[in-house]
């Protein structure tokens, strides 16, 4: 898909609205999303057909210069080939004209992006987990989504309807007055619209170019450290010494009893069986809808709670320090995976990233994944060699400080950026602190406590004092751990 670059003084922002289509419009929405999936599957089959053909020819001993040529997967090439094939291909004959061209263009663009990601991943040019070759989308599992970039894309003036290409005017569940007022004032321009079926509802997301409006934070000169956890969602400590605790709502745990009952009802109905081709009964469908509504409600409550938390934090502090957590690795812990997934650690950081950058132009500091925030004493800077997860109280061996483990970690995170905090909460002061490099292959082992080092290998005479060595260790650890996002 084409990425829009905002003009100077503008930024790209999404406005998501819930739709209220009638039966005819919902059928048209499903048809467009099905056309996107059909175009995607056609592109995957068209490109990979040349791969299998070359492999078969190689098995017969055909020389390399005589093999079938590779079919390109760039978006212009796929569009050209699809426009030639849609008139003769039996998979599209008789119905492809019922949908907007944007539906097929969305599927082709997604296929081109999938092949690009696969090629870059295979060549080592793409970060993250290794990606496999694109596969066909299942009609039963594929997400329903379609994007419109051309045609009539309009937010109607009555504040309750939107107009999309070929779909016409559709009523919305919520008012559109905010976006319409910005468009009329000339401070917003709609670039594209994406419809999708998510959590039992049809949603439309307008990607608009909006004039920047930086909001000044409440305390621009204060840095806050946020330590995320399972029992307590967030422990926040700022540079002024003020602590705050946010309890974990635990929406999924609260709904587990209701989910057990709903799932038990579903299991007693006649469900689908792909092995025998048995179709689900109507009672199974009704029971499954009830169970899905419970899941949707939990997801909506979680999203609402996280948005309220991140919005309040981003609007108050000039500098926010969070940890770079390995959430994917943490989910492998079978004892804590459910609670970690329910807390939404990755979503908290994602929301803080765009809210601090776009709304307030403040600083978000990400502590290195190996920074020992929990093992470091917030009073003297001594670092413990080991601190098991079940130990919830930090006891310093050097200064005899006794403090809650999460409070200690939050204070260390706040101190990580307090020394270099000069922002005032306006756009011109962001990214003022230098970013320390993270060299690969560095020793990630936690340093031993200063007291134990003095007992084993301390120098006499002109050696530095213990508190000086502790301060040097603390400064060195902070310099290695501090990275700006």
């Amino acid at each position: 898909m084409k990425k829009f670059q905002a003009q100077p003084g503008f930024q790209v922002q999404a406005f998501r609205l819930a739709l209220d289509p009638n039966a005819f419009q919902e059928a048209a929405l499903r048809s467009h999303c099905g056309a996107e999936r059909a175009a995607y599957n056609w592109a995957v089959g068209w490109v990979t057909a040349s791969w299998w053909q070359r492999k078969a020819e190689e098995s017969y001993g055909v020389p390399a210069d005589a093999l079938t040529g590779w079919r390109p997967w760039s978006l212009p090439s796929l569009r050209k080939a699809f426009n030639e094939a849609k008139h003769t291909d039996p998979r599209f004959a008789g119905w492809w004209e019922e949908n907007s061209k944007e539906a097929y263009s969305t599927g082709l663009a997604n296929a081109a992006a999938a092949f690009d990601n696969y090629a870059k991943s295979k060549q080592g040019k793409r970060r993250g987990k290794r990606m496999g070759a694109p596969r066909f989308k299942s009609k039963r599992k594929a997400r329903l989504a379609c994007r419109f970039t051309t045609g009539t894309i309009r937010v109607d003036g009555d504040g309750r309807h939107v107009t999309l290409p070929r779909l016409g005017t559709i009523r919305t569940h919520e008012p559109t007055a905010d976006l319409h007022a910005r468009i009329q004032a000339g401070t917003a321009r709609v670039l594209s619209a994406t419809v999708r079926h998510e959590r039992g509802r049809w949603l439309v997301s307008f990607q608009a170019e909006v004039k920047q409006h930086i909001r000044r934070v409440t305390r621009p000169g204060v840095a806050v450290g946020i330590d995320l956890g399972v029992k307590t969602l967030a422990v926040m400590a700022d540079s002024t010494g003020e602590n705050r605790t946010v309890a974990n709502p635990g929406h999924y745990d609260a709904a587990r009893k209701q989910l057990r009952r709903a799932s038990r009802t579903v299991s007693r109905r006649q469900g689908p069986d792909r092995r025998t081709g048995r179709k689900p009964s109507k009672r199974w469908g009704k029971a499954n809808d009830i169970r899905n509504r419970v899941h949707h409600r939990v997801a909506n409550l979680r999203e609402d709670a996280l948005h309220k938390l991140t919005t309040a934090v981003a609007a108050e502090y000039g500098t926010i320090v969070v940890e770079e957590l390995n959430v994917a690795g943490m989910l492998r812990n079978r004892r804590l995976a459910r609670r970690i997934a329910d807390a939404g650690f990755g979503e908290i950081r994602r929301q803080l990233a765009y809210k601090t950058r776009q709304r307030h132009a403040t600083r978000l500091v990400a502590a290195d994944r190996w920074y020992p925030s929990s093992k470091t004493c917030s009073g003297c800077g001594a670092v413990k060699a080991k601190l098991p997860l079940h130990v919830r109280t930090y006891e310093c061996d050097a200064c005899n400080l006794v403090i809650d483990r999460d409070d200690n970690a939050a204070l260390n995170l706040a101190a990580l950026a307090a020394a270099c905090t000069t922002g005032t909460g306006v756009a011109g002061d962001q990214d003022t602190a230098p970013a320390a490099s993270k060299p690969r292959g560095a020793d990630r082992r936690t340093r031993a406590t200063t007291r134990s080092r003095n007992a084993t290998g301390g120098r006499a005479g002109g050696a530095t004092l213990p508190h000086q060595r502790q301060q040097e260790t603390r400064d060195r650890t902070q310099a290695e751990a501090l990275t700006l996002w």
Side-chain angles (χ1 to χ4, degrees), residues 136 391 434:
F136 295 112
V391 179

Side-chain angles (χ1 to χ4, degrees), residues 7-226:
Q7 299 178 1
F10 286 78
Q11 63 185 6
V12 178
Q13 182 177 343
F15 295 83
R16 189 175 67 170
L17 304 170
L19 297 177
D20 186 18
N22 55 33
F24 177 79
Q25 292 171 341
E26 184 172 1
L29 287 168
R30 292 186 178 274
S31 178
H32 277 71
C33 296
E36 182 274 335
R37 180 184 58 84
Y40 178 90
N41 289 341
W42 175 90
V44 172
W46 185 75
V47 173
T48 56
S50 63
W51 299 5
W52 293 109
Q53 180 64 25
R54 290 175 62 91
K55 189 174 182 180
E57 292 174 353
E58 290 176 352
S59 64
Y60 285 107
V62 179
D65 55 350
L67 294 176
T68 302
W70 299 99
R71 287 179 175 175
W73 59 65
S74 63
L75 182 56
S77 302
L78 291 178
R79 280 178 175 172
K80 182 178 180 180
F82 178 78
N83 290 332
E84 296 175 356
K86 65 184 180 182
H87 299 281
T88 58
D89 196 319
R91 291 173 291 182
F92 299 96
W95 66 273
W96 68 269
E97 295 180 347
E98 299 175 0
N99 304 299
S100 171
K101 65 175 184 178
E102 293 296 318
Y104 306 102
S105 180
T106 303
L108 299 179
N110 292 339
F115 279 110
D116 284 339
N117 292 335
Y118 166 65
K120 293 179 180 178
S121 178
K122 193 173 183 180
Q123 297 170 3
K125 299 179 181 179
R126 187 179 187 275
R127 299 179 59 186
K129 189 178 180 180
R130 182 68 62 88
M131 296 194 64
R135 296 180 294 181
F136 295 112
K137 287 185 179 181
S138 170
K139 183 178 180 180
R140 183 172 59 93
K141 296 182 180 180
R143 294 184 178 181
L144 302 179
C146 177
R147 186 180 184 186
F148 301 93
T149 57
T150 59
T152 305
I153 304 175
R154 184 176 65 245
V155 179
D156 294 350
D158 60 354
R160 278 294 183 179
H161 293 83
V162 296
T163 303
L164 300 174
R166 294 297 297 269
L167 296 174
T169 303
I170 306 176
R171 181 176 173 82
T172 60
H173 271 291
E174 45 198 335
T176 62
D178 183 20
L179 179 57
H180 183 264
R182 296 192 183 193
I183 296 175
Q184 293 297 320
T187 59
R189 181 173 66 93
V190 175
L191 303 176
S192 65
T194 303
V195 294
R196 62 168 52 88
H197 189 263
E198 183 178 321
R199 300 176 190 172
R201 280 189 171 185
W202 284 100
L203 306 173
V204 58
S205 298
F206 290 98
Q207 189 181 37
E209 198 177 43
V210 183
K211 187 176 181 179
Q212 291 183 353
H213 178 65
I214 303 302
R215 310 170 192 173
R216 187 177 179 86
V217 297
T218 306
R219 298 196 289 175
V222 180
V224 62
I226 304 178

Side-chain angles (χ1 to χ4, degrees), residues 381-397:
V383 183
K384 282 183 175 290
K386 291 184 179 180
L387 187 64
L389 189 60
H390 68 274
V391 179
R392 307 310 303 171
T393 302
Y394 183 89
E395 298 180 2
C396 181
D397 300 331

Side-chain angles (χ1 to χ4, degrees), residues 12-16 196 198-199 205 226 228 299 302-311 313-314 320-325 327 343-360 362-366 485:
V12 178
Q13 182 177 343
F15 295 83
R16 189 175 67 170
R196 62 168 52 88
E198 183 178 321
R199 300 176 190 172
S205 298
I226 304 178
L228 302 177
R302 183 189 301 116
E303 183 181 14
D304 179 70
L306 296 183
H307 271 295
K308 289 179 178 178
L309 171 63
T310 55
T311 300
V313 173
I320 303 174
V321 188
V322 294
E323 291 181 298
E324 185 180 348
L325 299 175
V327 181
F345 294 158
E347 182 65 13
I348 291 176
R349 175 170 173 177
R350 187 193 69 84
Q351 293 182 10
L352 286 175
Y354 78 82
K355 290 179 181 180
T356 54
R357 182 179 63 253
Q358 297 181 0
R359 298 184 183 180
H360 306 284
T362 53
R363 181 183 303 156
L364 178 65
V365 181
W485 191 8

